[in-house]
């Protein structure tokens, strides 16, 4: 119950900014898709009139692929903006407790709770915020497809526009939203592991200040090496894909366990207001 109370407390502190980000990303992408689709549809329609050919011939001659609209700057830019804000907030979720007139960290550390719950509440809230943005992007892509189908003449489609086409065509979409459910779980599991490592680095800095900042940087470098050394060397080509997958899962779980233990130890024994 105390964990849920802490989770709700952290959510209240970020909810307004988060909903604003939701609205901003949605507005940018949906308006951009409408404008881009309308502009290109009008261009192809005018060309068909000028050259006196059918829209089907125009579509075939240009090999029109409407899913490429998702690779335009407004779409990619809004996604990168959301990623950047989440990265910044992964730092602010801790540092803001020490900033400002109200020293929130003092009250949090004085609560009669297991301090591990404070670590867990911040960790799971941030992870849920990321998953929320991923879900939003899936919804926006689905709505965007409907907008494209509404404003573009059907004759200009060489094939039905599907979510799979969008994910396969756009590398950023494919990276953020893998079509394979297993790959999706693995990718975000590794993301969760690196998030725990980042929290450990922050708590090291908060515990030992300048020395802690150096220790935190070294720890992040170690985690990066732990999760990548196998795949960046010659060993990767000598094992079966299933074995490589097991190694990735093992290093990710090691990162989560080690980082969680370190973070909980620091917040219990070293971190102060």
């Amino acid at each position: 119950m105390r964990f849920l109370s802490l989770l709700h407390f952290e959510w209240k502190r970020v909810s307004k900014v988060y909903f604003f980000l939701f609205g901003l990303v949605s507005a940018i992408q949906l308006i951009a898709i409408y404008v881009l689709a309308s502009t290109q549809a009008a261009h192809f329609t005018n060309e068909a009139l000028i050259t006196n050919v059918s829209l089907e011939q125009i579509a075939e001659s240009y090999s029109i692929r409407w899913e490429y609209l998702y690779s335009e700057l407004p779409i990619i830019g809004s996604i990168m903006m959301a990623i950047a804000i989440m990265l910044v907030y992964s730092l602010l979720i801790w540092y803001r407790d020490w900033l400002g007139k109200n020293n929130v960290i003092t009250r949090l550390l004085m609560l009669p709770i297991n301090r591990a719950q404070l670590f867990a509440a911040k960790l799971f809230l941030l992870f849920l915020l990321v998953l929320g943005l991923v879900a939003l992007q899936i919804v926006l892509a689905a709505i965007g497809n409907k907008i494209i189908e509404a404003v573009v003449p059907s004759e200009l489609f060489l094939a039905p526009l599907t979510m799979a086409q969008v994910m396969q065509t756009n590398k950023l979409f494919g990276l953020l939203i893998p079509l394979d459910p297993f790959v999706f779980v693995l990718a975000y599991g590794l993301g969760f592991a690196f998030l725990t490592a980042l929290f450990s680095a922050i708590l090291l800095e908060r515990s030992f200040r300048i020395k802690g900042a150096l220790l935190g940087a070294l720890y992040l470098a170690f985690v990066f090496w732990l999760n990548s050394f196998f795949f960046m060397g010659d060993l990767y080509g000598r094992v079966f894909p299933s074995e490589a997958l097991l190694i990735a899962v093992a290093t990710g779980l090691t990162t989560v366990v080690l980082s969680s233990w370190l973070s909980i130890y620091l917040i219990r024994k070293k971190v102060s207001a």
Side-chain angles (χ1 to χ4, degrees):
M1 190 65 182
R2 289 174 177 174
F3 168 76
L4 294 178
S5 297
L6 287 170
L7 192 64
H8 182 253
F9 172 73
E10 293 291 342
W11 163 246
K12 284 175 59 180
R13 299 172 74 189
V14 72
S15 59
K16 291 181 180 179
V17 174
Y18 190 66
F19 283 132
F20 174 78
L21 180 61
F22 251 56
L24 182 60
V25 171
S26 299
I28 291 174
Q29 292 198 20
L30 296 181
I31 292 173
I33 286 294
Y34 177 80
V35 172
L36 290 169
S38 299
T39 302
Q40 290 199 23
H43 169 74
F44 290 129
T45 301
N46 288 336
E47 183 164 342
L49 291 173
I50 293 172
T51 57
N52 196 28
V53 298
S54 67
L55 290 176
E56 289 89 344
Q57 290 174 307
I58 290 290
E60 291 177 0
S61 63
Y62 282 98
S63 300
I64 299 175
R65 299 282 299 277
W66 293 100
E67 58 267 28
Y68 281 107
L69 291 180
Y70 291 95
S71 299
E72 295 291 339
L73 181 60
I75 309 300
I76 300 300
S78 65
I79 295 173
M80 296 304 296
M81 176 188 67
I83 293 173
I85 290 174
M86 284 293 99
L87 289 174
V88 171
Y89 189 70
S90 65
L91 301 175
L92 289 180
I93 198 171
W94 283 104
Y95 283 108
R96 67 177 179 179
D97 291 343
W98 277 268
L99 302 175
K101 296 180 180 179
N102 298 321
N103 197 351
V104 177
I105 193 63
T106 301
R107 289 184 289 162
L108 290 175
L109 295 179
M110 291 178 64
L111 291 174
I113 59 171
N114 186 338
R115 291 186 181 180
Q117 294 181 355
L118 177 60
F119 163 78
K122 291 179 180 291
L123 178 65
F124 280 98
L125 174 69
L126 191 54
F127 193 64
L128 289 174
L129 294 180
V130 172
L131 292 181
L133 287 173
V134 172
L136 173 67
Q137 190 56 63
I138 294 174
V139 172
L140 290 178
I143 297 174
N145 285 353
K146 295 299 182 183
I147 291 175
I148 294 172
E149 291 172 353
V151 301
V152 175
S154 59
E155 295 84 354
L156 287 174
F157 287 94
L158 291 175
L161 185 60
T162 65
M163 288 290 293
Q165 288 176 328
V166 174
M167 302 307 170
Q168 291 170 353
T169 303
N170 190 305
K171 292 183 178 180
L172 183 58
F173 273 64
L175 180 64
L176 295 176
I177 314 171
L179 291 175
D180 188 329
F182 188 79
V183 175
F184 182 92
V185 172
L186 179 63
Y188 281 89
L190 290 175
F192 183 82
F194 279 103
L195 186 58
T196 61
L198 178 61
F199 276 22
S200 295
I202 293 171
L203 291 172
L204 280 168
E205 189 279 329
R206 288 289 84 192
S207 299
F208 305 107
R209 297 306 193 263
I210 296 178
K211 185 188 298 183
L214 178 60
L215 291 173
L218 291 174
Y219 181 71
L220 289 177
F222 165 74
V223 167
F224 178 78
W225 172 83
L226 177 65
N227 287 272
S228 62
F229 80 96
F230 174 79
F231 300 95
M232 296 176 68
D234 296 332
L235 293 175
Y236 180 64
R238 301 178 184 176
V239 300
F240 293 107
S242 58
E243 294 173 328
L245 178 62
L246 288 175
I247 292 172
V249 171
T251 55
L253 287 175
T254 301
T255 300
V256 171
V257 172
L258 180 60
S259 300
S260 297
W261 172 83
L262 178 59
S263 297
I264 292 170
Y265 170 78
L266 291 170
I267 201 170
R268 282 176 173 173
K269 304 294 184 180
K270 299 298 182 180
V271 171
S272 64

